[in-house]
Structure formats: C-alpha cells, structure tokens
Amino acid sequence: MKQALQNIKATADSLIAQAESTAQVEELRVRFLGKKGELTAILKQMGKLSPEERPVVGALANEVREAITADIAARTKELEQAALAARLAQEEIDVTLPGKRPVQGKRHPFEQVLGELKEIFLGMGFDVVSGPEVEQDHYNFEMLNMPKSHPARDTQDTFYITENVLLRTQTSPVQIRTMENQKPPIRIICPGRVYRSDAVDATHSPIFHQIEGLVVDKNITFSDLKGTLEMFIKKLYGEGIRVRFRPHHFPYTEPSAEMDMSCFKCGGKGCSLCKGEGWIEILGCGMVHPKVLENCGIDPEVYSGFAFGVGLERIVMMRYGIDDMRLLYENDLRFLKQF
C-alpha cells in the first residue's frame, strides 16, 4: 500500500507539471483527490491493515494528499499568471498613439441665426417675448383686424382644433397679448413656431418659424420703422446692403410695405440667388393699424407704432445657400455638421 501511495504521488507530480490549462489541472484533482479518485480508493483499503500499519499508512496518505494539493495550487497559479501575461501582451496599449477626440455637438442652423437676430434686437433695446402656440381665434384673427369673413380663416390655410381654438398662423398674437398687459412704450420681438396648412416642398412647410417685432410709443413714424429695419439688415448682412420698401397690404398695419434688400451675393448686379433682379424680398412691415391699437386699449390718438415679421427659414437658407427647406428638418448629421 505504501508503494501504491508513492506511485500515485509520482504520477500526480508528473501529470500536474505537464498540465497546459487550469481545466486539465482540475481534471487531475478529481482523478487523484476526488470522492472516486485514486487516493480515496487506497484509503478505503486501510481496514485490511493491522493496527500497527494503519497510523504509518495514514500519515503517508496525508503527506501524499497535501503534496498533490500543493502541486495543484502551484500549477494553477503558474497557469493563471501565464494567461494574464499573454492577455496583457495582447491588449498592450501604445500610449504614443494619438487619442480619439470626443465628438462635439453644434447648435442647429436655426439656433445659430436666431441667436444672432436676438443679439441684434437686444442691442437696439428690444425685449424677447413668447406666447402659446395653441391660440384662440380671438387673438390670432379678431384682434388683428381680421373678421370672421377674412380668407385667412379658411380651413385650407389654418389648422383649427375647435371653432375658436387653432394653431397660431403667426406670432402676432404675442404682440396683442403684450399690448393688452403692458402700457407703452413697448419694444419687443416675438420669435416662435407657427403653423399653416401648406404642402411640404422645397420652400413650404406646415411648420415654420417667424420673428415678429413691435414698437408702440408716442410719435412713432414710418421713418422709425425704416431706420430700425435698415440697421437690422446692415447688422445682419453688412454695411454695404441697401434696402427698399414697396407698398403692400396687411389687415393689421396701415400703411403696409414689403421690404427688399440688395442681393448680398452679387451686390445688386443680378445672380441666381436674386433671380437676376438684384433685390431679395426679406420681410413684411407697416404702421400698426389704429383699430388694432384700439382693440388692445391703446389710444391711437396718443400712441402709434410699427410692426414687422420675417421668416427665420428664409434668412437661414439665404445665409447658408440652402435651396431646400426640408434639409433643415430631416436631422441628417451629414448636412448639419457643415454648420
């Protein structure tokens, strides 16, 4: 039996030293030390020994078990260290390689241009105000001198929710709410989303953005309107830009006008941007209609004012040479990264 124990130890030492993985070491542990292992089988025969031989064989069996256990632990540690070293060598990082720069986001072209417009008007003493996009018919039409029979109320042009609730077609209701709640002098701009029942194409969308302005005070004249808008355009496009006003009609201003600016691309000589005319239509404007002032509780005999409105999409598209409005809404990063 002593010889059998020694043979088990010698065999175990040899096989454990040759093991190439921790899984093989585990198999050898089960083979020699498991419940049905070779060492356990020897120990089960100790009952056949004499009382004098049992202590000697038992001590030898314990020595063999401890030796095999130690060999297993040592070989397992060696294999784990070797595996770690191989992994570290494989995953070694070259610290001299250039790092990857984090992707930095940008503001949408709308926000970039809107921020610039706000800075221009804030510099001229205007306040920025906002109002609800779901508006009452009363504020969107009636207070702006557009009675029930006005064609702008047609459901083909306006998104009605109920008979008296709609999606605002302009930011002018913000001006009305301001005049109702604030006594002159008033100097505000009202940027925001507006909604009209238009089919989507390169120049139209059912959702777009407007920036409207309003000034109400004593002795406000058309000259003040012209001076304000001319300064706005020059701040936006440069001192060399010229402006002109053409008669127009809006129900909430009288007199009303369309304002054109000289083409910033060709300097007024004529190009594809201005369609060869040298001028680009930029906004609508006019003196606030006396009836609108009366509707808001402002005496038109004492106060006068002017208002204007410009489409943000139009300015953005002209600024960056964009020929299709849909590109601004599709959120294609290949497009937006250009700005």
Side-chain angles (χ1 to χ4, degrees):
M1 191 173 288
K2 290 180 181 180
Q3 185 61 44
L5 290 171
Q6 292 173 353
N7 291 339
I8 290 174
K9 182 179 183 304
T11 302
D13 288 346
S14 176
L15 293 176
I16 291 171
Q18 298 175 21
E20 296 181 353
S21 67
T22 55
Q24 292 181 3
V25 174
E26 177 61 19
E27 291 177 359
L28 294 173
R29 186 194 67 78
V30 173
R31 172 180 170 180
F32 293 107
L33 303 180
K35 292 182 179 180
K36 297 180 180 180
E38 295 182 14
L39 182 59
T40 303
I42 294 294
L43 295 176
K44 289 180 179 180
Q45 300 177 21
M46 288 185 62
K48 299 177 181 180
L49 300 176
S50 64
E52 294 80 10
E53 292 177 319
R54 288 175 187 171
V56 177
V57 174
L60 180 59
N62 287 335
E63 291 177 6
V64 171
R65 179 186 293 278
E66 291 174 0
I68 293 174
T69 301
D71 288 345
I72 289 173
R75 185 57 180 163
T76 299
K77 186 175 181 179
E78 290 176 2
L79 292 171
E80 288 177 345
Q81 290 178 342
L84 178 60
R87 182 180 175 186
L88 291 175
Q90 184 179 5
E91 298 179 358
E92 183 179 8
I93 299 175
D94 186 351
V95 295
T96 64
L97 289 174
K100 293 183 179 179
R101 290 190 176 187
V103 179
Q104 185 174 7
K106 296 181 178 179
R107 291 194 302 164
H108 193 279
F110 277 151
E111 290 298 323
Q112 294 182 34
V113 175
L114 178 59
E116 187 174 343
L117 297 182
K118 287 181 178 179
E119 286 298 320
I120 292 173
F121 282 107
L122 287 171
M124 290 192 287
F126 283 71
D127 293 323
V128 180
V129 297
S130 60
E133 296 178 18
V134 179
E135 189 54 273
Q136 297 178 32
D137 180 279
H138 174 73
Y139 287 106
N140 197 81
F141 290 127
E142 290 184 11
M143 295 288 281
L144 288 163
N145 200 26
M146 288 183 279
K148 293 290 186 182
S149 59
H150 197 279
R153 293 170 173 265
D154 195 318
T155 55
Q156 293 181 352
D157 297 319
T158 306
F159 291 107
Y160 278 92
I161 299 174
T162 68
E163 184 178 353
N164 295 312
V165 179
L166 48 83
L167 299 181
R168 67 183 183 186
T169 59
Q170 54 210 353
T171 57
S172 302
V174 181
Q175 301 179 15
I176 299 298
R177 292 176 178 273
T178 301
M179 286 190 285
E180 278 189 334
N181 297 308
Q182 178 181 333
K183 294 181 178 180
I186 297 171
R187 189 181 289 112
I188 62 170
I189 58 170
C190 322
R193 284 188 295 265
V194 298
Y195 307 83
R196 293 183 188 175
S197 185
D198 288 328
V200 177
D201 59 29
T203 57
H204 295 85
S205 170
I207 304 175
F208 57 101
H209 297 75
Q210 271 193 347
I211 302 174
E212 296 192 12
L214 172 71
V215 172
V216 179
D217 203 349
K218 295 179 179 179
N219 302 316
I220 297 296
T221 67
F222 202 95
S223 296
D224 298 310
L225 166 63
K226 184 177 184 296
T228 300
L229 294 182
E230 187 170 357
M231 178 177 290
F232 157 60
I233 291 298
K234 289 182 180 294
K235 289 284 186 180
L236 191 63
Y237 290 104
E239 290 295 325
I241 296 296
R242 294 171 292 120
V243 298
R244 72 178 184 183
F245 292 81
R246 294 178 287 106
H248 197 69
H249 169 72
F250 298 111
Y252 31 83
T253 54
E254 180 62 38
S256 304
E258 292 276 7
M259 190 183 84
D260 302 332
M261 69 176 188
S262 57
C263 181
F264 56 87
K265 184 177 181 180
C266 66
K269 298 178 181 179
C271 65
S272 58
L273 179 63
C274 61
K275 300 178 181 179
E277 296 180 0
W279 295 92
I280 298 174
E281 179 184 320
I282 189 68
L283 57 82
C285 58
M287 301 300 293
V288 180
H289 198 291
K291 188 171 182 180
V292 173
L293 293 175
E294 286 181 356
N295 290 340
C296 298
I298 297 175
D299 188 350
E301 298 295 328
V302 178
Y303 295 99
S304 58
F306 65 78
F308 58 88
V310 59
L312 180 60
E313 281 82 355
R314 186 174 184 83
I315 294 180
V316 173
M317 292 171 71
M318 288 194 300
R319 166 65 63 84
Y320 297 115
I322 301 169
D323 59 4
D324 193 327
M325 184 189 299
R326 290 168 291 193
L327 292 170
L328 296 169
Y329 297 107
E330 291 173 348
N331 291 326
D332 189 330
L333 291 180
R334 295 172 299 178
F335 171 77
L336 295 176
K337 283 179 178 179
Q338 301 177 75
F339 311 101

